[in-house]
Amino acid sequence: DGGITQSPKYLFRKEGQNVTLSCEQNLNHDAMYWYRQDPGQGLRLIYYSQIVNDFQKGDIAEGYSVSREKKESFPLTVTSAQKNPTAFYLCASSISGLKSEQYFGPGTRLTVT
Amino acid sequence: GENVEQHPSTLSVQEGDSAVIKCTYSDSASNYFPWYKQELGKRPQLIIDIRSNVGEKKDQRIAVTLNKTAKHFSLHITETQPEDSAVYFCAASKGGGSQGNLIFGKGTKLSVKP
């Protein structure tokens, strides 16, 4: 559980402001992922990265941006272009290759008013 | 692309009874099927997974079955306990690399009544 961390746990922002969510892992995993969780919607993939300095859009990337400058870190920026940013955001990591088991962070609940 | 359907969305059982959650997937190339348990306000945690080269896997009170022909897989929890109450998610993927992205079902909220 302690191998992947997210901060902060709760985040409040005013509409129109960009906000960056932190995700760090010390599991030496190559792949990292960002999901958004809304009630009754399951987990939806925002962005993923299989290797440092490379990332790909997921199913709902509009209004979000990411970077992967270090293997351990995969921050997510929720921009003002995201029309409905209030949600629970989960970061995950996995060993790349054939093994797909993903380990999740504790999540950040973002509220935008 | 892959689509995963999960049923039921809510499930209520009496303590000691069994619970079954079912998922269907659309992409016959999918070969990895994990189940995650998420307690209220906490992170999803892997509880069991199965790969397409086996039909059933058990771990104490939980088991997963896979029917590749019908493209569905199920989670079975026996002798349910109140601490089994949580939201359960199934997922499917085709394996590693970019194909390793998990496609999740929408979840089943299981309530175990004492």
Side-chain angles (χ1 to χ4, degrees):
Chain A
D1 275 8
I4 181 166
T5 59
Q6 293 182 243
S7 61
K9 187 172 183 178
Y10 299 97
L11 192 53
F12 299 88
R13 281 292 182 271
K14 294 290 186 183
E15 190 174 330
Q17 294 179 334
N18 291 354
V19 59
T20 298
L21 281 59
S22 168
C23 179
E24 304 279 332
Q25 54 97 2
N26 62 4
L27 300 169
N28 200 33
H29 286 172
D30 286 314
M32 297 186 75
Y33 309 82
W34 274 105
Y35 293 93
R36 171 182 172 136
Q37 186 173 30
D38 297 285
Q41 292 293 319
L43 282 71
R44 293 184 290 171
L45 184 64
I46 304 172
Y47 267 98
Y48 64 98
S49 168
Q50 296 293 327
I51 196 169
V52 175
N53 293 321
D54 184 55
F55 48 83
Q56 304 294 330
K57 292 182 178 180
D59 299 321
I60 55 166
E62 185 176 352
Y64 300 97
S65 66
V66 293
S67 63
R68 186 83 187 278
E69 297 177 0
K70 298 187 299 182
K71 188 176 186 177
E72 302 80 16
S73 179
F74 191 41
L76 172 74
T77 296
V78 184
T79 75
S80 57
Q82 168 51 233
K83 295 179 181 179
N84 186 20
T86 294
F88 189 52
Y89 291 88
L90 285 160
C91 179
S93 69
S94 70
I95 299 172
S96 65
L98 296 178
K99 191 170 180 65
S100 298
E101 179 179 348
Q102 293 187 14
Y103 297 83
F104 285 85
T108 292
R109 186 166 298 280
L110 173 64
T111 302
V112 177
T113 59
Chain B
E2 174 67 280
N3 183 50
V4 177
E5 299 283 341
Q6 182 172 349
H7 298 281
S9 57
T10 60
L11 180 60
S12 181
V13 300
Q14 288 294 134
E15 182 177 359
D17 288 349
S18 295
V20 180
I21 302 170
K22 298 181 180 180
C23 289
T24 60
Y25 60 99
S26 60
D27 192 335
S28 57
S30 291
N31 58 15
Y32 175 65
F33 307 94
W35 285 88
Y36 286 84
K37 175 183 180 182
Q38 186 179 28
E39 297 178 10
L40 189 62
K42 297 189 177 180
R43 74 187 80 193
Q45 291 192 305
L46 181 73
I47 55 172
I48 195 167
D49 58 11
I50 191 168
R51 296 188 185 272
S52 59
N53 57 346
V54 297
E56 184 176 4
K57 184 176 179 181
K58 289 183 179 180
D59 183 4
Q60 299 183 334
R61 294 187 298 108
I62 61 174
V64 57
T65 58
L66 171 64
N67 183 326
K68 288 188 293 182
T69 302
K71 290 190 284 188
H72 68 70
F73 56 111
S74 300
L75 177 71
H76 304 254
I77 306 174
T78 59
E79 300 173 19
T80 53
Q81 301 168 4
E83 52 264 39
D84 294 329
S85 296
V87 178
Y88 292 81
F89 293 97
C90 64
S93 85
K94 300 178 196 178
S98 62
Q99 301 299 313
N101 293 343
L102 293 174
I103 307 300
F104 285 87
K106 293 188 175 182
T108 296
K109 183 177 181 180
L110 174 64
S111 300
V112 180
K113 299 180 179 180

